[in-house]
Structures are given as structure tokens and as C-alpha cells.
Amino acid sequence: MSLLSDLINLDLTDTKKVIAEYIWVGGSGMDLRSKARTILEPGPITDPSKLPKWNFDGSSTGQAPGEDSEVIIYPQAIFRDPFRRGNNILVMCDAYTPGGEPIPTNKRFDAAKIFSHPNVVAEVPWYGIEQEYTLLQKDVKWPIGWPKGGYPGPQGPYYCGIGADKAFGRDIVDAHYKACLYAGINISGINGEVMPGQWEFQVGPAVGISAGDELWVARYILERITEIAGVVLSFDPKPIQGDWNGAGAHTNYSTKSMRSDGGYEVIKKAIGKLEKKHKEHIAAYGEGNERRLTGRHETADINTFLWGVANRGASIRVGRDTEKAGKGYFEDRRPASNMDPYVVTSMIARTTIL
């Protein structure tokens, strides 16, 4: 008699069919939705334009009214499926009305327009996004490793810490790391964060629109893994009030000009442009960010724009290596952990290049 695990791991190669899991961003702008369909191809499939468009009931995701509920999803990026493996795939999609208009929660559409602008294409914008998140106990929505209704010892030993009393959830973190590498996501590292139960993974360097695609699919894979583990994933920018670090999505950025000789001057000019648009960026950098950007816990105050070399209390941090080399990249430390990477990456490109 087969076990459930045997059936889940069945090899479908001989069927000459592929399972494609279509993924899209839901009505809150932060929730991910997905459903699967059979593709009559032996695989491997690598070109999203070869996949059919599909639809879903937008009235059940907060993305359409009941009397006109059909929303169409367009395949945009393909990744290997670490859950089903074989030639099966994960497909990042964006959402449109039946008439072909992007729906309001489709932030990819405008981002793609910015990233296809000739001036932006010429600058080959690179992104590296540091995604922080918190793992919560399922029934009490309290960080894993924390006593129920109580608090662990103060921050200090947990950042990049090891040991059963300091690192909580490492099996989830490592499973996610390997699953992203398998999927073809350019995940570049992981580490334990300052608050216990909080972790970070980094995606990048990724060019243009692919940074958003890769981060959304990395989030999807992480939430699927926490589902298996019976743990709740939180991207709240300040999950625990008080003397505990919040969660951000620091966004590292460079252009071809910044990476070339004389790039440090280009970086300083770009930071000047970001300062002028500070309020506009803050408004688009994630909900609840005012609870995180307080001027404490390695942040700059939300109403103040500061930049500095190696300063983790700044809005924009420039690394010592960049200053020394006279070229390189900078880090925008303002985005919250729940930011939309399509919005943040394209907005930085628009402000600094266009």
C-alpha cells in the first residue's frame, strides 16, 4: 500500500505532462494566491509566452465585483517547482480585466514600463533585496521560540546566533534557501536577525523587473514551507511593540554609471534626487512603516532623510567599500518588510534615472 509521501513524490516524466502552479498577488497587495493546471507538454518549459493565460474568481480575492468577477492572469516568469520537482513549474503572473487593462493590484505592469524605458535599460539597474520576516506560533501569533504570553531575554545574542536558546526555525530557513536555489531564484544568503524568531534572506543581484519576480516567488516558496511546518509567516514591519527590532526590506541598488569609474559622484547625485522625493517614496514603501521607522533600532525617523557611509541609522547607507573604490552601490534602508518589490524597485529607478 502506498504512503501519502510516495504518491506526492510520483515521477510524472513518462506522462509527457507538466503541472504549472500559477501564482499572483491577491487583493490586499500582500497576500499570494495560486492554483495549478496541467500543461500538455513534456517540458522543460522556459518561455512564459508559450503558456496559456488563465482566469480566476476575483470576487473571492477582493479583486473584482461578484457580478463581473473574472480576472485574467498572464504568465510572466517561470521557475522550477521545488515541491513537485521534475519538469513541473511555478509561474509568476500578473492580473488584468477581460478587456486587457491591468487591475489596480497589478503593480508589475507599471514597473515593466519603467524597466523597459531605453534610459533605464541602458543603465542596467541591479538590485539586491534583504527580506526580513518573522516566524509565528500558529495558534497564538507570537514569535516561535518565545514563551507563550511572555518574552525572551533582551536582544543581543540572537543576530546570526546559534544554539537552541537563540536560533528558532533554522530548519524552515535552510529548507527555503535550498528550495529557492533549486527554483532558479538568485538567492544570495540568509541570516538570523536581531529579534529572536526573525530571519532574513537576500535576493540578488537581479536586473530590473526580475528582482520583483524573484522576490515574490521567494516569498511564495517561504509561505508554502511554513504551511508544511505549521508555522505562520509574518511580514509585519513591527510585529512586536517595544524594544524589539522591526522588519524591513533594505534595497541595495546600483546602475552601470554607479558601478563605473567616477560612480561615487553619480551615487551622491542619485541620493540627492531620492531626498527630494522622500515623502513620495515613504508613502509607497509599505504599510505600517511608521511603527518601524522611529529613529531607533537601526532606522532613521520616518520624517527625516539622512544618508551616510556605514551608518545603519540612516535612510540611505553607502558602504565603506563603495566610498573607498569611488564606485559601487548604495542601500535604501527605508522599505518595510511588506513592501511590493515591483513598486520599490521601479520607483528607485524612476527617481534616480528618469
Side-chain angles (χ1 to χ4, degrees):
M1 189 68 178
S2 291
L3 297 172
L4 191 59
S5 59
D6 297 330
L7 296 170
I8 288 170
N9 293 318
L10 277 174
D11 184 0
L12 301 179
T13 309
D14 292 343
T15 68
K16 305 281 195 294
K17 292 171 185 169
V18 163
I19 301 173
E21 188 79 30
Y22 280 43
I23 303 164
W24 69 96
V25 179
S28 73
M30 192 61 213
D31 59 315
L32 283 161
R33 308 285 180 132
S34 77
K35 60 178 185 169
R37 68 181 295 166
T38 305
I39 306 292
L40 304 177
E41 286 273 348
I45 303 168
T46 56
D47 182 356
S49 69
K50 299 279 168 64
L51 290 169
K53 293 171 186 173
W54 205 8
N55 64 71
F56 68 89
D57 169 18
S59 69
S60 297
T61 63
Q63 290 170 292
E67 65 275 10
D68 187 14
S69 66
E70 196 165 285
V71 178
I72 315 300
I73 41 179
Y74 294 20
Q76 298 291 1
I78 291 174
F79 300 86
R80 294 172 71 200
D81 186 341
F83 303 102
R84 296 188 178 105
R85 298 189 287 279
N87 285 328
N88 304 302
I89 52 176
L90 303 177
V91 185
M92 190 65 206
C93 304
D94 59 353
Y96 296 81
T97 66
E101 293 295 313
I103 66 170
T105 51
N106 180 355
K107 305 302 182 189
R108 193 187 190 279
F109 181 80
D110 284 338
K113 282 201 289 190
I114 290 168
F115 285 122
S116 61
H117 190 287
N119 294 10
V120 178
V121 172
E123 281 291 352
V124 197
W126 288 4
Y127 296 91
I129 302 171
E130 305 169 29
Q131 176 69 70
E132 294 178 339
Y133 60 93
T134 310
L135 299 174
L136 305 177
Q137 300 168 51
K138 191 171 79 167
D139 298 325
V140 291
K141 300 289 173 72
W142 198 239
I144 62 169
W146 291 38
K148 285 187 181 178
Y151 294 86
Q155 295 185 152
Y158 310 108
Y159 172 69
C160 297
I162 60 167
D165 57 343
K166 293 182 279 294
F168 311 117
R170 191 185 295 277
D171 52 346
I172 292 169
V173 176
D174 268 347
H176 176 246
Y177 194 175
K178 288 185 174 179
C180 284
L181 287 171
Y182 177 92
I185 292 166
N186 197 17
I187 186 170
S188 46
I190 52 107
N191 60 268
E193 267 306 329
V194 178
M195 188 183 89
Q198 197 175 77
W199 294 82
E200 172 184 303
F201 66 89
Q202 303 94 31
V203 166
V207 178
I209 196 75
S210 65
D213 291 336
E214 291 189 29
L215 190 75
W216 273 119
V217 176
R219 284 173 171 177
Y220 173 84
I221 292 170
L222 179 56
E223 191 150 19
R224 285 282 306 275
I225 290 169
T226 58
E227 174 192 319
I228 294 164
V231 167
V232 173
L233 172 64
S234 172
F235 290 113
D236 190 295
K238 186 75 174 178
I240 305 294
Q241 295 305 306
D243 198 15
W244 304 98
N245 273 36
H250 302 156
T251 302
N252 299 275
Y253 170 71
S254 71
T255 62
K256 193 176 180 181
S257 301
M258 293 175 193
R259 297 187 294 269
S260 305
D261 290 341
Y264 194 44
E265 290 307 310
V266 182
I267 287 171
K268 287 197 279 190
K269 281 180 188 165
I271 292 170
K273 291 177 183 176
L274 288 168
E275 182 173 15
K276 287 176 186 164
K277 297 271 189 180
H278 177 62
K279 281 188 178 171
E280 193 182 322
H281 279 251
I282 286 292
Y285 273 17
E287 281 187 38
N289 213 5
E290 72 284 348
R291 292 182 281 119
R292 169 181 160 260
L293 297 180
T294 60
R296 298 181 66 221
H297 305 112
E298 302 180 60
T299 68
D301 179 81
I302 195 166
N303 298 309
T304 309
F305 185 93
L306 291 169
W307 80 274
V309 176
N311 182 0
R312 282 185 157 77
S315 316
I316 305 286
R317 180 183 69 87
V318 175
R320 289 261 179 238
D321 288 350
T322 294
E323 182 188 42
K324 189 176 174 184
K327 59 185 175 183
Y329 70 97
F330 65 82
E331 174 192 45
D332 191 339
R333 296 179 61 79
R334 297 171 296 172
S337 50
N338 60 2
M339 63 81 155
D340 187 322
Y342 294 134
V343 173
V344 169
T345 57
S346 62
M347 196 174 215
I348 292 171
R350 190 183 71 194
T351 299
T352 59
I353 300 171
L354 303 179

